[in-house]
Amino acid sequence: MSSALRVHARALVKRFGPVTALAGVDVELAGGQALAILGPNGAGKSTLLRILAGLSRPNGGEVHFESSGAEGRRGGRSQVGFAGHATWIH
């Protein structure tokens, strides 16, 4: 039986030089809850997912994971998966 993971992200900010990809984004997910992120190209969708998966660090804000089976940021992150889009070249 797996434990329910809760994700709390507050005031996430991510900048790439002069470009702000995320500006104060809040996300809260309860265990077993799904999230769909929609928006145009360049809206920050992949940037947000990379931060939540621990593949990128925000310039501001914080992400916390809670799980009955894992404590702290590293334990919770071990339960997060990320599958980005694939580019096929023929």
Side-chain angles (χ1 to χ4, degrees), residues 2-7 29-35 66 79:
S2 64
S3 58
L5 178 67
R6 295 176 52 89
V7 180
L29 295 169
Q33 191 174 22
L35 172 68
E66 295 177 15
Q79 297 181 40

Side-chain angles (χ1 to χ4, degrees), residues 35-76:
L35 172 68
I37 301 172
L38 304 172
N41 289 345
K45 302 176 302 290
S46 295
T47 299
L48 175 61
L49 292 174
R50 290 181 58 79
I51 290 171
L52 294 177
L55 300 174
S56 181
R57 291 180 183 245
N59 296 106
E62 54 188 32
V63 179
H64 293 282
F65 298 92
E66 295 177 15
S67 173
S68 59
E71 294 184 24
R73 299 178 95 179
R74 290 184 184 173

Side-chain angles (χ1 to χ4, degrees), residues 15-28:
R15 293 182 193 90
F16 298 98
V19 176
T20 300
L22 300 175
V25 174
D26 295 335
V27 175
E28 186 162 338

